[in-house]
Amino acid sequence: MKKLVSPIFVLGSFILIGFTSCTTAQIEQALGTVAQQTGQTGQNGALTQTEVASGLKQALSQGINKGATQASQTDGFYKSSLIRIPFPPDVQRVENTLRTLGLGAEVDKFVLTLNRGAEDAAKSAAPIFLNAIKQLTFSDVWNILRGERDAATQYLKRTTTSQLTSAFSPIMRNSLDKVNATKYYSELVNRYNKIPLVKKADPNLESYATQKAIDGLFTLVAQEEANIRENPIARTTELLKRVFGSRQ
């Protein structure tokens, strides 16, 4: 009979010995107790801190690589109901007015190239995320394991958003130029601004596209994190199976 052991069960054993006052020995003892109860014993009969931390880092790396691969495919953004990037909301009036004037096809072409730019830029996202994972401390691991189903994703948001934005902006700029999104957008805005009596529009397309692309990647990582936590089949390595835990 299958016996599933969730991260919450693992952490429940930790909490019993007092989170704020745990010593290394106590943590290892708690890990060992859980491992013995589930039959998930390491070389010395217990899951070690290193194994738990490595298991979580593997899970995060798996989620990031899968998410970045999915996002960087053709239509990874454009045909996704979760992460498709729409016309910038700050200038929604531009889209509405241009469609009214019969320029809907031009607007659609821009939105397509905008998402193509995000797909192209997503190819460079994984290394930035993976570098943040290397910096995880055991305290970070602990908080993530006892957190919500997207706790790891939220950690990455807190610790990498600024770095991602700085690193991703020039990548996004090049990608938008590469697929002519910048050109099409400038043409649309210039046409709009020539309409009498309208409020002129000139938002920062690069900033908008960068933020939406990063948000989309985090959405995919959160989806994969939840999958690994809840679905034993998604745990592709023995260490993931042991740490996140099921046993035949």
Side-chain angles (χ1 to χ4, degrees), residues 31-33 35-36 40-47 242:
L31 285 167
T33 299
Q36 290 166 6
Q40 297 172 350
T41 54
Q43 187 175 15
N44 297 319
L47 284 167
R242 291 181 60 217

Side-chain angles (χ1 to χ4, degrees), residues 80-182:
S80 170
S81 60
L82 286 176
I83 63 174
R84 186 176 190 264
I85 304 177
F87 203 94
D90 289 346
V91 288
Q92 195 68 52
R93 65 186 185 279
V94 175
E95 177 181 5
N96 295 338
T97 301
L98 292 174
R99 288 191 184 279
T100 300
L101 296 175
L103 295 172
E106 296 302 310
V107 172
D108 292 338
K109 181 168 67 173
F110 161 69
V111 172
L112 172 62
T113 56
L114 174 61
N115 282 272
R116 288 288 184 263
E119 291 158 10
D120 185 69
K123 298 171 185 175
S124 303
I128 301 171
F129 278 108
L130 295 174
N131 183 62
I133 292 174
K134 293 178 183 178
Q135 312 305 319
L136 278 170
T137 66
F138 188 71
S139 176
D140 295 327
V141 169
W142 183 296
N143 290 331
I144 288 170
L145 280 174
R146 74 186 184 96
E148 300 296 328
R149 66 202 297 264
D150 66 342
T153 306
Q154 293 303 321
Y155 166 83
L156 288 175
K157 281 187 177 182
R158 290 193 303 272
T159 59
T160 68
T161 294
S162 177
Q163 178 191 5
L164 274 171
T165 301
S166 297
F168 219 54
S169 288
I171 295 170
M172 179 58 71
R173 184 188 312 120
N174 291 335
S175 294
L176 291 174
D177 289 342
K178 178 179 175 182
V179 299
N180 290 322
T182 307

Side-chain angles (χ1 to χ4, degrees), residues 64-78 80 83 115-123 125 168 213 216-218 220-221:
I64 285 165
N65 284 320
K66 185 173 181 179
T69 298
Q70 181 180 338
S72 64
Q73 293 174 346
T74 300
D75 292 330
F77 272 86
Y78 185 64
S80 170
I83 63 174
N115 282 272
R116 288 288 184 263
E119 291 158 10
D120 185 69
K123 298 171 185 175
F168 219 54
L217 289 167
F218 279 131
L220 295 179
V221 170

Side-chain angles (χ1 to χ4, degrees), residues 55-67 126 130 133 228:
L56 180 64
K57 290 180 181 182
Q58 274 191 17
L60 285 174
S61 298
Q62 178 177 316
I64 285 165
N65 284 320
K66 185 173 181 179
L130 295 174
I133 292 174
I228 290 171

